[in-house]
Amino acid sequence: MKKITIIYFSGSGSTAKLAQSIGKGVSSLQEASLNIISIDENDITKGRYKNDAVISQLDESDAIIFGTPTYMAGCAAQFKAFADATIGSWSQQKWKNKIAAGFTVSGTPSGDKVITLQSLQAIAMQHGMIWLGTGEMPSQSNGVNRLGTWIGAMAFAEQNTASSITKDDLLSGEVFGKRIADFTINQLR
């Protein structure tokens, strides 16, 4: 059984909703064990994230999927505080050769989400991880990857409302989650 962990921060609930749809895709494969972790703002004190139990769970995962809203052309500060706290895992190379992927949501159709996904990819690369993109052509027929992204999953949600994520963006997340689980199961034997 491959352990796949989604770790994310969500300000208004829209990133959480996309995390759940990615998790649904991961869970569709019986050989995958899913763990979803929401970054708790209470674990951040004076700008520093501290939760050894969460870091330990990530160290034990076969794949880690990072998620954050796009705020001002980048990761949310809460997610960045978490990422900075992974220095111990980095220095011991605990995430090396694990599968990595990412997702983001912003309040405008572009919202510079690609910059956020590139930041997530850079964090994964520094850890020596293997980054997995969407692998989906933009589709007009079933709505998968309607925003035309390959680096990671993205969704558009009206600002401050989780209910406005389209069913197409949620389906894109589910398809992405299944791809990550399938790759993790079949490539990390």
Side-chain angles (χ1 to χ4, degrees), residues 27 30 40 55 74 77 82 94-95 97 128 134 147 157 185:
S27 296
Q30 292 179 337
D40 186 344
I55 300 297
F82 151 75
K94 290 188 174 187
W95 297 1
N97 296 327
T134 64
L147 295 174
I185 292 162

Side-chain angles (χ1 to χ4, degrees), residues 21-41:
S21 70
I22 292 169
K24 184 177 177 184
V26 168
S27 296
S28 70
L29 299 180
Q30 292 179 337
E31 300 88 354
S33 160
L34 175 64
N35 185 21
I36 298 180
I37 302 169
S38 174
I39 294 170
D40 186 344
E41 293 176 284

Side-chain angles (χ1 to χ4, degrees), residues 44-154:
I44 301 170
T45 304
K46 296 184 180 178
R48 306 293 281 173
Y49 178 86
K50 179 75 170 153
N51 187 321
D52 293 337
V54 166
I55 300 297
S56 180
Q57 289 176 53
L58 295 167
D59 290 347
E60 296 169 9
S61 297
D62 297 295
I64 302 171
I65 306 168
F66 304 110
T68 176
T70 295
Y71 291 160
M72 299 305 292
C75 297
Q78 295 87 340
F79 185 89
K80 183 66 169 97
F82 151 75
D84 290 349
T86 67
I87 190 81
S89 297
W90 170 81
S91 66
Q92 296 176 38
Q93 293 291 279
K94 290 188 174 187
W95 297 1
K96 186 173 185 172
N97 296 327
K98 294 180 187 283
I99 302 300
F103 62 98
T104 190
V105 178
S106 75
T108 60
S110 171
D112 294 323
K113 290 186 279 289
V114 171
I115 296 169
T116 300
L117 291 171
Q118 288 171 329
S119 295
L120 297 177
Q121 183 184 39
I123 292 165
M125 296 294 97
Q126 288 190 346
H127 277 280
M129 302 175 82
I130 302 162
W131 187 263
L132 191 63
T134 64
E136 293 290 329
M137 293 297 291
S139 175
Q140 300 301 316
S141 60
N142 67 0
V144 172
N145 198 13
R146 73 179 182 96
L147 295 174
T149 179
W150 290 271
I151 191 171
M154 60 172 62

